[in-house]
Amino acid sequence: MYNTMIRGYVQIHAPSLAILCYMQSLHDGFMANQYTFTPLIKACTLLLPLPTGRSVHAHVAKFGLSDDEFIQSALIEFYSLVPDMEMAWRLFDRSSKRDVVLLTAIINGYAKAGDMKTARDLFEIMPERNVISWSAVIAGYSLCGDYEEVLSLFQQMQELGIRPNESLLVSVLTASAHLGALAQGIWVHSYVKRCKLHSNSILGTALVDMYAKCGCIASALSVFDDIWAKDVAAWNAIISGFAMSGDSGKSIELFNAMNATGVQPNDVTFIAILSSCTHSGLVNEGLKFYNQMSTVYGVEPRLEHNACVVDLLGRAGLLEEAVKFIDDKMGDFGGGDCNIWGALLNACRIHGDVKLVNRIWGRIVRMGLADCGIYVLLYNIFTEAGCEKEANKARELIKEEGLNKKAGCSFIEVNGVVEEFCAG
């Protein structure tokens, strides 16, 4: 009975109740077994308090179940998410049966920790791979932004005839969106429709994001309309899509429709709607949304939202208002970050206000913001204004700080193959 209750609490995402149920079972003299600990460790994984997980691990040892492969796999997943990869590896290293379940668990741990070299090395030596193994390593490359490798591995997987799962397809769609690989994204969409997976909210949201970032906003809206249970992530994807396409009116219309359905907007929603107002010059509307964030929706503004407002005011030529906004709002944020000052500098460049640039530069130096992007922007502004002395000073600062400008790159898809081109 207790095992069923613990498993049930985990299934309804009530991990605290699962742990309390286990404690009650011990009080009642229940002898835990292998069917107790797998869902119990999953509960610890959902909660992620390290002491609780370690206590459960101690109970596993006490009951003599340390060699159970499913318990080992659950413990490796727990320690991977804490993260404590040293303990995860010790569990894996002690295991006598390193089958596909354990190998996949440790690969997933290293992938989520960003150690793709170790994850890939383990993946390559696997004697047997299943779709979950492929999904783990592909998701790892997606998390670290190596989208070309995501599509390369997916192609290898297709050649081997392995049927992808929904999680893997989300990773492929994310890569397609970032690379602009529309053909690959369309193939995934076709596969999703064949398998009748299009009503899945997570997969549907990934499709909306892919189409929007590839410039196919009508297709994005069509997929969005087909999502049966639209959560905040789905609404954010379509609102951001219309914001990127420059249709602020539709973005605001969708924001209002989202409110009408009772879905609570989050911080990502407001970044999307503020960006939409910025690119359309809707200053009053943007400021209204910003002011409503905390008062109406209970969402506290972060640095990203403040940067959007600075950009909104700056692009509209309200430079002094943007400076005042920074002075009024940035006290709690240590004076702002490179995104906020970069937005203001870019506005100064657009409107040719070199005098304000000199004031900003002094503040940036005093704050110690050693950001290559800002210094390059300063150099370009001074060069365009014919201020050679200041331009040279900005260039010297780049060298003194040892900063390197990231090379500009772009992608092009030819016959389903994505090629990257880098400047320089």
Side-chain angles (χ1 to χ4, degrees):
M1 178 184 73
Y2 284 112
N3 288 347
T4 303
M5 290 178 66
I6 291 170
R7 186 169 61 252
Y9 282 131
V10 172
Q11 288 173 345
I12 64 170
H13 295 278
S16 297
L17 292 177
I19 292 168
L20 288 173
C21 183
Y22 174 68
M23 292 171 66
Q24 182 63 45
S25 75
L26 294 177
H27 181 267
D28 294 344
F30 173 72
M31 288 293 293
N33 54 37
Q34 65 267 36
Y35 302 108
T36 310
F37 285 110
T38 303
L40 189 62
I41 296 165
K42 179 64 176 177
C44 294
T45 302
L46 293 172
L47 282 172
L48 281 188
L50 184 58
T52 305
R54 288 195 186 280
S55 297
V56 171
H57 189 181
H59 280 226
V60 168
K62 179 181 177 181
F63 284 100
L65 298 170
S66 297
D67 292 331
D68 183 274
E69 64 177 296
F70 293 103
I71 292 176
Q72 286 177 337
S73 177
L75 282 170
I76 288 170
E77 180 185 7
F78 168 75
Y79 283 114
S80 298
L81 290 173
V82 170
D84 184 352
M85 288 311 299
E86 182 180 349
M87 177 57 78
W89 178 259
R90 282 167 61 187
L91 286 166
F92 176 77
D93 199 39
R94 287 204 306 263
S95 173
S96 58
K97 188 180 180 182
R98 298 184 185 180
D99 61 4
V100 65
V101 176
L102 283 186
L103 273 164
T104 299
I106 195 70
I107 286 170
N108 192 45
Y110 279 113
K112 287 181 177 177
D115 186 355
M116 286 311 301
K117 183 182 185 309
T118 304
R120 185 61 178 268
D121 288 345
L122 289 166
F123 180 75
E124 293 297 339
I125 64 170
M126 288 184 79
E128 177 189 354
R129 299 169 184 165
N130 60 19
V131 65
I132 301 173
S133 314
W134 284 92
S135 182
V137 75
I138 286 175
Y141 279 114
S142 180
L143 282 172
C144 71
D146 192 347
Y147 301 114
E148 290 180 276
E149 193 61 26
V150 169
L151 297 188
S152 175
L153 280 170
F154 182 61
Q155 185 176 0
Q156 293 178 39
M157 186 180 138
Q158 285 180 283
E159 291 169 357
L160 293 171
I162 298 172
R163 181 174 177 172
N165 59 16
E166 293 176 23
S167 173
L168 193 149
L169 291 174
V170 169
S171 295
V172 173
L173 285 169
T174 301
S176 301
H178 280 86
L179 296 175
L182 180 59
Q184 181 69 79
I186 290 173
W187 183 93
V188 172
H189 190 189
S190 176
Y191 180 86
V192 166
K193 287 194 281 190
R194 287 201 307 271
C195 297
K196 294 183 169 53
L197 301 172
H198 57 281
S199 62
N200 178 287
S201 178
I202 297 174
L203 199 51
T205 299
L207 279 166
V208 171
D209 186 57
M210 182 276 298
Y211 276 123
K213 286 179 177 172
C214 289
C216 302
I217 194 64
S219 297
L221 185 59
S222 175
V223 174
F224 173 78
D225 288 338
D226 285 341
I227 298 174
W228 181 68
K230 299 177 178 67
D231 59 11
V232 65
W235 283 100
N236 287 348
I238 194 64
I239 291 170
S240 297
F242 277 100
M244 285 187 292
S245 71
D247 192 342
S248 59
K250 187 65 176 178
S251 290
I252 294 172
E253 178 188 323
L254 286 163
F255 179 84
N256 293 331
M258 175 184 176
N259 285 323
T261 62
V263 177
Q264 176 72 13
N266 60 15
D267 56 338
V268 177
T269 316
F270 283 101
I271 289 173
I273 203 71
L274 287 170
S275 298
S276 181
C277 292
T278 296
H279 292 295
S280 298
L282 302 176
V283 177
N284 292 332
E285 289 84 350
L287 292 176
K288 183 186 76 171
F289 283 122
Y290 177 83
N291 292 327
Q292 288 179 342
M293 280 182 65
S294 57
T295 58
V296 177
Y297 300 100
V299 179
E300 289 302 317
R302 296 189 288 111
L303 279 169
E304 292 88 344
H305 303 103
N306 292 330
C308 286
V309 174
V310 171
D311 198 24
L312 172 71
L313 294 169
R315 285 175 183 263
L318 303 172
L319 299 177
E320 291 299 334
E321 287 85 345
V323 172
K324 185 177 185 305
F325 176 85
I326 293 173
D327 290 337
D328 292 343
K329 300 290 185 181
M330 292 298 99
D332 295 335
F333 294 96
D337 67 351
C338 56
N339 291 321
I340 286 169
W341 293 106
L344 184 54
L345 283 171
N346 188 56
C348 291
R349 183 182 186 182
I350 292 170
H351 297 285
D353 194 336
V354 180
K355 188 176 179 180
L356 180 55
V357 170
N358 278 301
R359 283 167 51 196
I360 296 169
W361 188 7
R363 292 181 66 166
I364 289 171
V365 171
R366 288 195 299 273
M367 290 172 61
L369 277 179
D371 179 79
C372 187
I374 284 182
Y375 288 146
V376 170
L377 186 53
L378 282 166
Y379 173 79
N380 289 334
I381 291 171
F382 287 131
T383 300
E384 290 168 6
C387 304
E388 293 184 14
K389 182 180 177 182
E390 290 82 355
N392 290 333
K393 180 61 178 175
R395 186 164 57 184
E396 287 170 12
L397 282 171
I398 294 173
K399 292 178 181 178
E400 288 173 11
E401 297 288 346
L403 302 173
N404 291 310
K405 182 179 181 293
K406 187 177 179 181
C409 65
S410 61
F411 300 92
I412 185 170
E413 184 180 15
V414 181
N415 297 326
V417 179
V418 177
E419 300 289 350
E420 180 181 8
F421 296 87
C422 290

